[in-house]
Amino acid sequence: MTDAMTTAITYSEFGGPEVLTVWLFWFALGAAVITAIVWSLVGLPDDAVVRTITVLVIACPHALGLAIPLVVSIATERAARGGVLVKDRLALESMRTVGAVLFDKTGTLTKGEPVVSEVFAVDGFDSDRVLTLAAAAEADSEHPLAKAIVRAGADQQLRVPRSTGFSSSPAVGVTATVEQSVIRVGGPYLLAEEEASELPIAEEWRAGGAIILHVIQDGRVIGALKLADEIRPESREAVDALHALGVQVVMITGDAEAVAQSVADELGIDRVFAGVRPEDKAAKVAELQHEGRKVAMVGDGVNDAPALAQADVGLAIGAGTDVAIASAGVILASDDPRSVLSVIELSRAAYRKMQQNLWWAAGYNLISVPLAAGVLAPIGFILPMSVGAILMSLSTIVVALNAQLLGRLDLTPDTTTRGILRRS
């Protein structure tokens, strides 16, 4: 939060309050000099001093100096209360102009808790044996699919032997030695490496949108596993609300095209990048950026870190890995994908408050400085110095009160999403 507030005071799309304060300084100085000269030329040197001091009092840049930092401070604090940690204020500011949101599928749009729903074994093996070997090979992996396979073996009370020589290749699969056999478990890239063909059952499973992993023993395909990852119930609302805001929704995954397209069709996602290796995710973000879009990336894993860093705004799920969190500018405490909408709404609301405060601070000076200088003296109106001091204080109070209105913003994902859908 401290970093976000510090960044805000230094940089801004508005040029920064310090830049506007510089302009106000020259405006006030010029007005004071002109006031002193004019009143002196008309033969009223005493009034020249009073009018000049009144101009300088009126032009005190308290309101302008508070216009943006106060909004940022309150927005950042409000975000924290709503389960959104803003590490980089520029990321929060950029969210209001995001044109595409790129979701990693597993653990973001889906629950990331897949289950093994079916096991197929070739002749000479049974399903229990295939599952046993797969569970043994996957025992040391942290991937959600691996955990699902190990859990399935435990649920069926299979005796899973220990494995040695474990290795993992992102988007390919795992390899381990089990009972003196080399066991490999993985998807299409693994089959390509082994120059093996998928089992006929895979086509049937794929039609239903299942995740398919093949089990290979010493270079021979001995079976396949059918897994399903349940879609989060909030994902559909998140996609619909983003569409209502005019934002394109894109999904990226290492899963096969058929699996990814099944999820995309169910959620109404605009575009899908399927079969993407972890090291290629950042390139897909860059591809969207080269199309002229400002991109927000939502992810939770180590594999998402480069893409989160590449995106204009990186949003990490709070339950994700430390690497992903370190690469993101905004951290979502909840795993609810609708939290992205809360960040967008906060960004837009904070921007509106900044605009209002700057217009008030600038408008106040444009009107009150000439009055303090005595432009209406010919018709008998002269602004007293005491009233000028009160107006200066009042402008600061107005800016502060207006910024405080951000505190009324309800950033709970459910409320934010329903509000957007109701307006559309």
Side-chain angles (χ1 to χ4, degrees):
M1 186 183 296
T2 303
D3 290 345
M5 292 169 61
T6 304
T7 324
I9 296 172
T10 308
Y11 304 104
S12 173
E13 288 185 12
F14 298 104
E18 71 283 354
V19 174
L20 295 175
T21 302
V22 169
W23 281 102
L24 176 60
F25 166 77
W26 289 111
F27 171 70
L29 183 62
V33 170
I34 293 172
T35 299
I37 293 173
V38 171
W39 281 93
S40 296
L41 289 176
V42 298
L44 298 170
D46 291 340
D47 287 337
V49 173
V50 173
R51 292 297 96 212
T52 300
I53 293 174
T54 305
V55 166
L56 295 175
V57 169
I58 283 282
C60 185
H62 285 173
L64 196 58
L66 288 173
I68 291 177
L70 189 58
V71 170
V72 171
S73 176
I74 294 173
T76 306
E77 182 270 341
R78 187 66 195 86
R81 289 181 179 273
V84 177
L85 177 61
V86 179
K87 289 175 55 184
D88 179 7
R89 197 275 311 171
L90 294 180
L92 176 62
E93 186 174 292
S94 296
M95 277 301 289
R96 68 182 181 82
T97 56
V98 159
V101 175
L102 179 63
F103 287 98
D104 178 61
K105 180 182 79 71
T106 305
T108 305
L109 293 175
T110 63
K111 290 186 175 181
E113 300 173 356
V115 294
V116 177
S117 57
E118 193 172 339
V119 180
F120 179 84
V122 300
D123 292 341
F125 290 83
D126 59 37
S127 59
D128 282 353
R129 181 60 176 166
V130 170
L131 181 57
T132 296
L133 293 174
E138 297 277 17
D140 293 325
S141 175
E142 293 296 321
H143 194 282
L145 296 180
K147 292 180 179 179
I149 294 170
V150 173
R151 188 165 56 246
D155 290 344
Q156 295 189 27
Q157 298 182 339
L158 301 176
R159 189 189 69 80
V160 178
R162 293 183 62 84
S163 63
T164 58
F166 172 83
S167 64
S168 176
S169 178
V172 177
V174 302
T175 302
T177 300
V178 182
E179 296 180 341
Q180 299 182 339
S181 293
V182 176
I183 305 298
R184 303 192 74 187
V185 184
Y189 289 119
L190 176 64
L191 293 176
E193 280 190 6
E194 293 284 341
E195 297 182 349
S197 300
E198 67 178 16
L199 297 175
I201 191 68
E203 192 62 35
E204 178 186 331
W205 288 350
R206 188 176 296 110
I211 301 170
I212 303 166
L213 299 178
H214 282 78
V215 183
I216 300 175
Q217 181 182 39
D218 295 328
R220 176 193 175 198
V221 178
I222 63 170
L225 307 174
K226 177 184 178 183
L227 299 95
D229 190 3
E230 186 179 353
I231 294 174
R232 294 185 186 278
E234 307 90 359
S235 295
R236 179 73 206 200
E237 277 192 346
V239 173
D240 289 344
L242 285 168
H243 285 158
L245 293 175
V247 177
Q248 185 184 51
V249 182
V250 188
M251 184 179 75
I252 190 167
T253 178
D255 293 344
E257 179 72 33
V259 176
Q261 198 58 54
S262 173
V263 174
D265 290 343
E266 183 171 343
L267 295 178
I269 289 172
D270 302 304
R271 192 169 172 183
V272 176
F273 294 126
V276 181
R277 290 174 179 266
E279 62 268 24
D280 296 331
K281 287 185 177 182
K284 295 300 182 183
V285 174
E287 181 180 326
L288 291 172
Q289 291 171 327
H290 290 155
E291 293 173 2
R293 293 183 175 88
K294 185 171 284 189
V295 180
M297 165 73 185
V298 187
D300 65 341
V302 173
N303 297 336
D304 299 324
L308 289 169
Q310 172 67 39
D312 297 284
V313 182
L315 299 102
I317 301 296
T321 63
D322 291 341
V323 176
I325 290 173
S327 303
V330 177
I331 300 169
L332 308 176
S334 167
D335 55 11
D336 188 336
R338 297 176 301 177
S339 297
V340 175
L341 297 158
S342 300
V343 182
I344 293 176
E345 286 292 275
L346 177 62
S347 176
R348 294 183 176 185
Y351 182 76
R352 286 194 300 270
K353 289 301 176 188
M354 289 178 187
Q355 284 185 312
Q356 292 165 6
N357 282 352
L358 286 175
W359 275 110
W360 166 261
Y364 151 79
N365 280 288
L366 290 174
I367 294 173
S368 59
V369 167
L371 291 177
V375 293
L376 297 183
I379 63 173
F381 179 81
I382 297 178
L383 187 71
M385 187 185 298
S386 58
V387 175
I390 293 173
L391 289 176
M392 182 271 292
S393 300
L394 184 62
S395 68
T396 304
I397 293 171
V398 170
V399 165
L401 290 177
N402 188 48
Q404 291 292 337
L405 293 178
L406 269 179
R408 301 189 305 175
L409 194 63
D410 189 345
L411 293 180
T412 56
D414 185 64
T415 302
T416 302
T417 305
R418 293 186 187 281
I420 292 171
L421 293 174
R422 193 162 44 245
R423 295 197 304 266
S424 63

